[in-house]
Amino acid sequence: SLNSRYQIAVAQLAEYLLQQKTGLCFTQEWLKLGPACLRLLNLTESDVKTLLADATPIIEAEDGTANGIELLTQPRPDDAPD
């Protein structure tokens, strides 16, 4: 459905933005799906650069670190082994 395609496009875009900011886990998905996602979302490459700039403070603010990655890569305290 169209709704599912939009959800996939937004998820792919979010993953791409996070990967661009963190430099982690580069996949080939954006190379394959990126152009179609941008068309569906009616975005340009310039829009993606703006979104990345806008997303940077959000990514970094989660835990106050310089790169904002620790929150995403560190286990939560309740996930600690017994």
Side-chain angles (χ1 to χ4, degrees):
S1 75
L2 185 59
N3 187 40
S4 295
R5 285 183 281 188
Y6 276 112
Q7 290 175 349
I8 291 167
V10 168
Q12 288 295 321
L13 177 59
E15 179 182 41
Y16 176 73
L17 293 174
L18 184 62
Q19 290 175 351
Q20 291 298 301
K21 176 58 187 156
T22 63
L24 296 176
C25 190
F26 282 93
T27 64
Q28 298 301 312
E29 295 302 313
W30 188 253
L31 293 175
K32 294 185 275 184
L33 300 175
C37 292
L38 294 180
R39 279 192 307 275
L40 182 64
L41 298 171
N42 198 28
L43 296 172
T44 66
E45 289 293 334
S46 178
D47 295 328
V48 172
K49 289 178 184 176
T50 300
L51 286 169
L52 181 58
D54 291 347
T56 296
I58 296 167
I59 294 167
E60 291 176 349
E62 287 299 318
D63 65 348
T65 64
N67 61 15
I69 300 171
E70 286 148 19
L71 178 70
L72 302 172
T73 59
Q74 299 299 315
R76 296 184 312 223
D78 57 337
D79 289 343
D82 293 328

